Amino acid sequence: MVGSRTLTAAAGLLVSLLVTAALWWYFDTLLVFLFLPFVPILFRGLGEDGPTVVQECPHCGFQATSEAYDYCPRDGSRLESAER
């Protein structure tokens, strides 16, 4: 049985290969392969300032951005609400 994460990764890879092949065919050059890896860097940081820290470990400084954590995965301490 294949998980949803695997299917999502496979679909993303397939779409990426199709877009790359289309750009290669349209521009008729392999230079598109040099540019495509940098596309995610161009769009990094658009739309939000960063994750909001919800809870923090008082001992090691681990910061959780989701309320799904109750305990620190590093040392097992109970997380405290971050005051920021």
Side-chain angles (χ1 to χ4, degrees):
M1 187 168 156
V2 179
S4 63
R5 295 178 112 186
T6 305
L7 290 176
T8 302
L13 179 64
L14 182 64
V15 169
S16 173
L17 290 174
L18 288 174
V19 168
T20 301
L23 289 173
W24 180 23
W25 176 78
Y26 182 76
F27 291 112
D28 197 28
T29 182
L30 287 176
L31 291 178
V32 71
F33 291 110
L34 296 175
F35 176 71
L36 282 181
F38 299 106
V39 170
I41 294 172
L42 298 175
F43 297 108
R44 184 182 302 170
L46 292 180
E48 61 182 56
D49 296 331
T52 303
V53 175
V54 177
Q55 298 176 3
E56 188 172 344
C57 177
H59 300 289
C60 72
F62 170 79
Q63 297 177 336
T65 58
S66 170
E67 292 186 20
Y69 290 99
D70 288 330
Y71 296 92
C72 178
R74 295 180 184 162
D75 61 13
S77 302
R78 186 157 184 87
L79 298 177
E80 298 175 353
S81 295
E83 298 178 19
R84 292 182 184 197

